[in-house]
Amino acid sequence: AESRDQRLKVLVVDDDPLAREMLKNFAARCEMPVDCTTMSSGLEALIDIASIQPDVLIADLNMPGVDGFELLRTLRNNNQFSKMSFLAVSALKQEEIDSKGGLPDGVVFMPKPISMNWLNGFFAAIMSTRQADALQTSK
């Protein structure tokens, strides 16, 4: 369990192969240890997410088939994923997101193109929270 606490497991779901590759490369160069898995569809993610058990899900909103909206709503409504951090990424404007029902509570939104500095800080904050929680539970 200790090694898991020191690694951040990230699942990237995006139908754009360049976006997936960019995030995978970023994870490999990240200041903290990040295990990054990529998938090209929301359906693939729904099928495999329970076996991957990521700490963070980064989902594009605009994908064919099961889009990011449906993926995020499905996972946010499942208690099995209550500790997971959710990040939605998209080039969609806020009005377009609202017209599709908006994002579920607790989902962080980052417009594309993604700021890698911001993403690094997002990952660092998750790791800090996890380490603080681990210290609290060990007392």
Side-chain angles (χ1 to χ4, degrees):
E2 187 176 313
S3 64
R4 172 158 171 80
D5 287 345
Q6 295 171 2
R7 299 195 72 77
L8 190 67
K9 287 180 77 173
V10 176
L11 174 59
V12 175
V13 183
D14 196 319
D15 62 320
D16 179 353
L18 289 174
R20 289 193 309 270
E21 191 64 25
M22 179 186 70
L23 287 166
K24 191 151 183 94
N25 287 339
F26 168 76
R29 296 186 324 270
C30 211
E31 295 171 8
M32 67 208 79
V34 176
D35 292 332
C36 184
T37 302
T38 62
M39 296 183 174
S40 60
S41 75
L43 180 60
E44 184 182 7
L46 286 173
I47 291 169
D48 290 338
I49 197 163
S51 64
I52 295 169
Q53 296 191 344
D55 301 303
V56 180
L57 171 69
I58 301 175
D60 182 27
L61 294 177
N62 199 15
M63 295 184 287
V66 176
D67 64 12
F69 292 97
E70 188 175 349
L71 174 63
L72 290 165
R73 285 186 193 116
T74 301
L75 296 175
R76 286 301 294 160
N77 289 327
N78 185 328
N79 286 336
Q80 181 180 356
F81 305 109
S82 63
K83 293 189 186 304
M84 188 183 308
S85 297
F86 295 90
L87 176 61
V89 297
S90 183
L92 293 175
K93 303 272 184 265
Q94 188 60 51
E95 304 82 53
E96 295 170 292
I97 293 170
D98 293 343
S99 75
K100 294 181 181 255
L103 295 174
D105 288 342
V107 175
V108 177
F109 178 72
M110 165 58 66
K112 285 184 175 182
I114 300 169
S115 162
M116 294 304 158
N117 285 334
W118 183 91
L119 191 58
N120 191 63
F122 183 71
F123 287 173
I126 292 167
M127 290 298 286
S128 294
T129 301
R130 183 198 294 175
Q131 290 165 351
D133 289 348
L135 285 173
Q136 287 296 331
T137 56
S138 69
K139 288 183 178 179

